[in-house]
Amino acid sequence: MITFVDTVVPITAQSTQPDLALPVGTTLDRFILSEQSAFPFATGELSQLLRDIALASKIINREINRAGLIDVTGATGTDNVQGESQQKLDVIANIRFIRALKNGGEVCAIISEEEDDIILTGNPNGKYVVAIDPLDGSSNIDVNVSIGTIFSIYRRVSPVGSVPTLADLLQGGRQQVAAGYVLYGSSTILVFTTGQGVNGFTLDQSLGEYILSHTDIKQPRTGSIFSCNEGNVAEYPDKIQTYLNTCRQRRMTGRYIGSLVADFHRNLIKGGIYLYPSTRKSPGGKLRLLYECFPMAFIAEQAGGKATDGRQAILDITPTDLHQRLVLYVGSPDLIDELLTTI
Ligand code: FBP
């Protein structure tokens, strides 16, 4: 006769040993559902869209974690529309997110860093459009340094059922209905806003669930970290060089990972300022407005931070091109104000 070892602790013992069944916390799904009532146009489509992005990010997370074991490191030998050499993981991430957004049915059009033109998803009744940087920090992929995904979501402006247009993608930053990023770092975290504050969800790899870990994130008003590529300093405008000198004189700490998502996240939590000024190579700035600057600016402002190109708030800019580049200064409000008084 086979006997089963009863590993279940008898009920009476459970009351005396509560940590045997600690609650796992609030899952992303449960959070989205509970917040759905606060969403404008809450018909569940935006909720499903956020779930689709979360699912694709879990698959990318798996590929990244196994990168050294499977053939996903290195370049593909092709360049993207930006003239940058495409890494294999750039292409894989691009395919995975586009597939998830197409299959979800909520999205009618996508603009991706890895694609020249608008991607029509074949969902003419989709109410949303998405701008996405499938894999941010490409230069760090092969060296096991934190990388990310950045996304921005809008309601379309063209009639539902019609063929999406350029106008659907070239909306102002304040038209975003949601924006977020996934940081594939020492842990994987999804941070997003729908205009009701900023929350972060850490991926519990054992459950495959995003669990609420950072509630109502507020960026510290100031901080002691400045983040820029010091290798380019000689090319920065004089006033930016002056500002960076004051940062050094104040013994602020220079921290630069070279992945916008990772540098932004650190400064969001600890306080700090990220700067990508104009350089000889990128006189208009390097970072892309639709799928890097707008989403990070929306999150920053929702967390009490600020984002500017030195002349105006990033979110007040009207885009003119799908892959438009921009100068970006983003971070703690007092540090941005100080920068603006200097430049
Ligand atoms: P992609 O990797 O998606 O092209 O993003 C641009 C980026 O890598 C940012 O993540 C990062 O902050 C910046 O460029 C680094 O640029 P540089 O190597 O010139 O400092």
Side-chain angles (χ1 to χ4, degrees), residues 113 133 135-138 229 256 258 260 274 276 286 288 292:
E113 182 187 42
D133 179 355
L135 211 64
D136 170 64
S138 311
N229 184 338
Y256 190 68
L260 170 62
Y274 171 97
Y276 207 106
K286 175 185 182 180
R288 281 48 61 116
E292 289 172 325

